[in-house]
Amino acid sequence: MTKGQSLLLGLAVLGLGAIGYAVFQANGFEGLSAGIGASALLMVLVVGWTASYLFRALSGNMTYMQQRRTYRAAYDAATTEELERKFEALSPDEQLRLLRETGQLPAEPEGSPAQGEA
């Protein structure tokens, strides 16, 4: 939210207070009672908005968090594809060596001839 949008939101809340005051007065409330009613209504709205914000923040449903998840998924997919392409470009001996180094295949027993030697 930009600074301008924040100012407009503040003015909207102020306007809601004035509209609420006018509505309460139109329904027969006196000046002080209409002011208290309008203030109470605004307070309920602000507390409800704050509660919804806290719920979204705690549950991780904020716009930033969703964008971050989307970016991370796309990054992981692109990285995986790139690594797979590089792995496929290796020779079979290099692929086996890399798989053994990363623990994907058991290491060769000592004393056995290395692949490619005979």
Side-chain angles (χ1 to χ4, degrees), residues 93-107:
D93 289 339
E94 290 173 324
Q95 288 178 355
L96 284 173
R97 182 184 55 78
L98 183 59
L99 289 172
R100 285 191 179 103
E101 285 178 5
T102 59
Q104 301 297 314
L105 290 177

Side-chain angles (χ1 to χ4, degrees), residues 19-100:
I19 291 170
Y21 181 78
V23 167
F24 278 108
Q25 272 194 331
N27 286 318
F29 287 86
E30 296 297 320
L32 187 58
S33 296
I36 291 172
S39 296
L41 183 62
L42 277 178
M43 191 166 165
V44 167
L45 287 174
V46 170
V47 168
W49 177 83
T50 304
S52 73
Y53 176 83
L54 288 174
F55 177 75
R56 288 183 293 126
L58 294 175
S59 66
N61 288 331
M62 304 291 289
T63 303
Y64 169 73
M65 295 299 287
Q66 291 170 345
Q67 288 174 339
R68 191 167 172 235
R69 280 189 214 109
T70 302
Y71 172 80
R72 184 61 192 205
Y75 175 80
D76 288 344
T79 303
T80 301
E81 289 174 11
E82 179 68 22
L83 288 174
E84 287 175 355
R85 242 189 344 265
K86 287 182 179 183
F87 182 77
E88 295 300 325
L90 295 174
S91 69
D93 289 339
E94 290 173 324
Q95 288 178 355
L96 284 173
R97 182 184 55 78
L98 183 59
L99 289 172
R100 285 191 179 103

